[in-house]
Structure formats: C-alpha cells, structure tokens
Amino acid sequence: MRLFGTQDLDNNLDQLQNKISLLFALLAGFLMIFLGLSDLIIGLDPFIVKTKFLFAIPYLLGFWVMWKYGYFQPVIQLMIFIGLILVAINYVYNEGYQGPTFYTIFIFVVGIGILIKGWPKIALLLLTFMLYSLLFYGEVHGWFIVTQHYPDLESLYWDHLITIWWTGLFSFLGIQIFLRNYRSQNDSLRLIQTERELAMKELDSLNTKKNQLIALLSHDLKNPIGMLGQTLELADKGLFEEGEMEGILKNLKNQSYHLSGVLNNTLNWVLAELEDKELETETVSLYKFTDEMKDGMLSQAAVKNQTIEFKKSGNDLNIELEASEIRIILKNLLDNAIKFTPVGGEIEFELICSEKEVKWIVKNEGKEIPQKEEITLFDFKVKTTYGTMREKGTGIGLPLCKKIADKLAMELGFSRTDSGKNSFFLTKNLA
C-alpha cells in the first residue's frame, strides 16, 4: 500500500481510511519525538521529555503492525485509547489546563472523525470529551495536584506556541491528505462512471445498429425468397405447361443469381457497419450497372405484369462507386415501385449522368403519398403497408436506405411529378 500519491482506480473508502491510518500513526509518532526534543531544548523537566519520547512508541509500533499485518481498525482504536491515557498522565505533569496538553484534543477529534468506523467512533469521541472535561474539572476542584515544571513563563509560552503549530498543522495535514485522496478517488470513480456511460452508449448504438441491419437483411431477402418459393410452388403443382418449363427454369436461375447478389450486397453492408470499417468501392460503367439493376428486378415486376422502362441521359461514365450499397438502395426503391404500382403498370427507371453528378430516379404510378407523410418517409418506424396485391411491407426499407445514403454522402429524397407520379431519387456528387 502506498502512503502518498493518488488512489488506484479500484480503491474504496476502506482503503483510503487504511492509508490515512498509517499516516496518522507515523505523523503522531514523529510529532511526539519532535515535541520531546523541543521540550528538551527549552529546558523542561527531563520527566516530561522522556514522557513525550515514550508517547512515540505506541504510535510507531501501531504503524509497524498495520503496515506488516493489517488489522487497521483494531490497531487505530487501540492507539487512540492509549493516547488518551497518556494524555491524562501528561496533563498532571504539563501545567494542567494552563499547559499545552489540551491542544491534543484537536488531533484526537480529527483522527476519530476520519479514521474510526461504526459505533467505536461515537464511543471514542464521547470518551475524549469526557476525559478532558474531567481533567479540567478535577484540577479546578483539587482532585489532584498539578506540579509546575516550567522554569519561567517564556518557556511555557514557547511550549504553547510549538504545540499550537504542531497540532494545528497535524490536523490540517490529516484533513488535506484525506481530502486529496478522497478527491482522487472521486475523480477515479467519475472516470469509471464516464467510461461506463460511454460503453453503454456504444452498446446501445451497436444494439440499435444490429437491429436495423437485421431488419435490412430480412427486408431485402423477403421479396426474392418469396418469389422463388412462389415459382417453385406453382411448378410443383404442375400449373406450367411443358413448353413453359424451360423458361421457368431460366427464370429460377435468374432469381437465384439475383437472390445471391442481394444477399452478398446486404451482408457486405452489415459487416461494414458492425465492424465500422471503410466501404469498398469498385469501378463500374454507370449504364451497365443501372441496366443490371433493372434486369434483376424484371422477374419480380413480371409477376404483376409490369414493365420497367430504363431511360438514360448524358454520356456513360466509368467511375468508382460503393456499388454494393447503392444496389441495396436502388433495389429497395424498385421494390417499392413494384409493390405500389397497379398490375400492368409501368415503372420508370432513369439514369442522368453529368460531370458534376450522377442521379437515379424511380417513378411509378399508384396511390399518392399524402403530403403530411412525406416528411416522415425516411423516419424509423414500424408501419405495416400493403401493395396493390396486398404485398405486406414494414415501413423500414426507406429509413434504412436513407441511413446508407447518408453514410455514402449521397442524397436520397422524394418528389411528386407534374403528372402525379411518385418519384424517388438518389444523387451522388462527382465534383
């Protein structure tokens, strides 16, 4: 155990009291030695000098026992009790209430207040006050005779002055050491609390992120898996003619590729988010990239006899993109367009390329989004929605896409065309 310095992070009040107990015993022992030397210098009776040297023994012995074996509370209580007995003896030979002995009450009060725990604190405090009160009262009423040992009044003055300084400094030092260590301990606890709060915030953030990513994974896989299952079920029931099977198998193959692509894209985003790492980019042709997105959604649109018209303007560009993440966003926009477009309707998928930006736009016919809901389209909330063929939605696809777009420093937004179509756009600045 260190006597000086700041508290370790794992220290508690008991350890702090133990440290101060060691300091109390050590300082009290040296104080008695110093007072004995000062009495010797000012020419007091050798008996008083020897008595104060004797006072140092129990304190230094108590320090050694606590340092070596512990037992802090029993030892410090015994040391204070012995100190009170020695004070009573010294009182008679040190000018009584006119001498400097009564200053030691401050040392005992400070020591008891800081170091003693439980009911012994009250017992020793009452004993201290009662002892000094009885000594003063007994001297005044002649219960015992106080002998004069100071050769002159000036010697008494110097002994008073030295004792005042030492007892005052001792009490002040004891309190300051306690406060310093307590402050250090409090700072350590505050640091631990701050670190714990930060850890809890990180845990909450990670848990929220995990839930969002699981929701994204489920959301993105729901439609492709549902379509694949639906096609297999129809084939199993023999509802396709023999000439159609070749086309069906080709369609299943395309759906499996599409499903694999969706899974890979979403998993890449999930891992990147959980590990908080930089997103990977790849060089793509914007025309080819967008056309592949359209082709991947044709099977899903064909179920509702819908068409996806791919429009492009501007020259094709070969640029580096976070392709996997952009596929997730565009797939969700096309998913929603298919879901809310009437059977046999048309979906416009537009790509606009320029030197300053690239912009994808998905437009579809269908139920108009109320103006009051436009401002909450990208807010996280669980809201069941139904498409034109009662396809069930959760309302979390767009918020998750918005989260991805924000991380990519891209703009994802909504507008309504002059013809009343719903229009979602994704923009990436190139300048």
Side-chain angles (χ1 to χ4, degrees):
M1 176 182 293
R2 296 175 299 167
L3 289 181
F4 301 98
T6 57
Q7 291 290 101
D8 295 331
L9 288 179
D10 59 345
N11 281 358
N12 52 34
L13 185 58
D14 288 339
Q15 292 171 312
L16 177 57
Q17 286 182 310
N18 294 342
K19 178 185 287 189
I20 304 301
S21 296
L22 285 170
L23 285 167
F24 177 85
L26 188 62
L27 291 175
F30 283 120
L31 173 61
M32 292 300 104
I33 293 174
F34 177 83
L35 291 177
L37 290 173
S38 65
D39 288 351
L40 180 63
I41 292 172
I42 64 178
L44 293 186
D45 191 307
F47 176 81
I48 297 177
V49 175
K50 292 176 182 177
T51 301
K52 290 186 177 177
F53 283 144
L54 182 66
F55 282 5
I57 295 176
Y59 293 106
L60 295 178
L61 181 62
F63 169 81
W64 180 80
V65 172
M66 288 188 291
W67 176 271
K68 186 76 174 177
Y69 302 104
Y71 307 112
F72 291 95
Q73 279 299 302
V75 171
I76 199 69
Q77 292 172 24
L78 181 61
M79 285 168 49
I80 290 176
F81 183 76
I82 293 174
L84 289 172
I85 294 175
L86 294 177
V87 162
I89 296 172
N90 185 63
Y91 182 89
V92 179
Y93 296 96
N94 201 16
E95 299 296 323
Y97 67 82
Q98 296 183 39
T101 301
F102 70 88
Y103 296 127
T104 56
I105 189 174
F106 300 111
I107 295 176
F108 285 112
V109 170
V110 171
I112 292 169
I114 293 178
L115 304 176
I116 307 301
K117 296 187 295 186
W119 65 266
K121 182 195 292 283
I122 304 300
L124 286 172
L125 188 62
L126 291 175
L127 177 61
T128 300
F129 287 128
M130 289 298 296
L131 175 65
Y132 279 86
S133 299
L134 288 172
L135 288 173
F136 293 169
Y137 188 83
E139 181 183 355
V140 171
H141 288 272
W143 292 359
F144 49 84
I145 303 299
V146 174
T147 56
Q148 303 295 319
H149 291 280
Y150 290 89
D152 51 47
L153 192 59
E154 186 173 353
S155 298
L156 180 60
Y157 160 76
W158 282 111
D159 202 15
H160 268 281
L161 186 63
I162 292 171
T163 307
I164 287 173
W165 273 87
W166 264 104
T167 53
L169 287 173
F170 183 91
S171 301
F172 177 81
L173 183 61
I175 294 172
Q176 289 305 306
I177 291 173
F178 180 85
L179 290 176
R180 178 188 175 191
N181 282 271
Y182 183 79
R183 189 179 299 113
S184 174
Q185 182 186 71
N186 195 48
D187 290 341
S188 298
L189 292 175
R190 194 158 41 237
L191 176 62
I192 292 173
Q193 181 65 23
T194 301
E195 291 175 348
R196 186 176 298 168
E197 288 175 357
L198 288 175
M200 287 300 296
K201 287 181 180 178
E202 290 178 4
L203 184 61
D204 288 342
S205 175
L206 184 61
N207 191 51
T208 301
K209 188 182 293 185
K210 178 201 70 176
N211 291 337
Q212 291 174 354
L213 296 177
I214 291 174
L216 175 62
L217 190 61
S218 303
H219 181 272
D220 280 2
L221 294 180
K222 180 183 62 176
N223 286 338
I225 291 176
M227 281 192 57
L228 188 60
Q230 185 180 24
T231 305
L232 290 172
E233 185 179 355
L234 292 174
D236 185 58
K237 291 180 178 179
L239 298 179
F240 296 114
E241 297 180 3
E242 291 185 8
E244 295 178 324
M245 286 307 298
E246 184 177 345
I248 296 300
L249 291 174
K250 184 178 180 181
N251 185 38
L252 286 175
K253 182 179 179 180
N254 290 335
Q255 288 185 46
S256 68
Y257 285 150
H258 178 57
L259 180 59
S260 178
V262 170
L263 180 60
N264 287 334
N265 294 338
T266 308
L267 282 178
N268 286 338
W269 166 253
V270 169
L271 292 174
E273 277 289 276
L274 290 177
E275 296 174 8
D276 197 24
K277 65 180 183 181
E278 292 293 325
L279 299 175
E280 296 181 359
T281 60
E282 58 182 281
T283 303
V284 299
S285 159
L286 289 176
Y287 280 10
K288 182 179 179 183
F289 174 81
T290 309
D291 195 48
E292 288 175 350
M293 284 298 309
K294 180 207 70 172
D295 289 343
M297 303 300 294
L298 287 177
S299 297
Q300 190 171 328
V303 174
K304 297 176 71 173
N305 198 27
Q306 297 167 341
T307 58
I308 301 177
E309 183 183 356
F310 177 32
K311 297 180 178 180
K312 48 185 179 287
S313 59
N315 296 324
D316 188 17
L317 298 174
N318 290 302
I319 61 173
E320 280 203 1
L321 289 176
E322 297 85 352
S324 295
E325 288 69 31
I326 294 176
R327 286 189 183 101
I328 294 174
I329 300 174
L330 294 178
K331 177 194 173 301
N332 272 275
L333 296 182
L334 290 168
D335 268 341
N336 285 343
I338 292 169
K339 183 191 303 181
F340 295 107
T341 298
V343 174
E346 182 183 88
I347 297 164
E348 295 181 25
F349 189 25
E350 185 175 0
L351 170 66
I352 303 174
C353 301
S354 70
E355 293 182 358
K356 293 184 178 180
E357 67 177 22
V358 54
K359 187 173 188 177
W360 290 272
I361 304 174
V362 178
K363 302 176 186 177
N364 68 284
E365 307 167 353
K367 184 180 178 181
E368 185 177 292
I369 297 175
Q371 199 166 18
K372 63 179 181 180
E373 292 184 12
E374 289 183 19
I375 58 175
T376 62
L377 275 175
F378 301 104
D379 294 342
F380 270 103
K381 57 184 178 179
V382 178
K383 180 182 178 182
T384 302
T385 57
Y386 293 94
T388 53
M389 291 183 65
R390 302 298 294 170
E391 306 100 314
K392 188 176 180 181
T394 60
I396 62 174
L398 287 176
L400 288 168
C401 288
K402 179 66 173 174
K403 179 180 177 65
I404 298 174
D406 289 343
K407 185 161 185 176
L408 299 179
M410 299 178 70
E411 183 184 4
L412 176 62
F414 169 81
S415 63
R416 186 176 290 105
T417 66
D418 294 337
S419 59
K421 291 183 179 181
N422 295 319
S423 175
F424 287 88
F425 61 88
L426 177 67
T427 306
K428 179 178 179 64
N429 291 322
L430 302 179

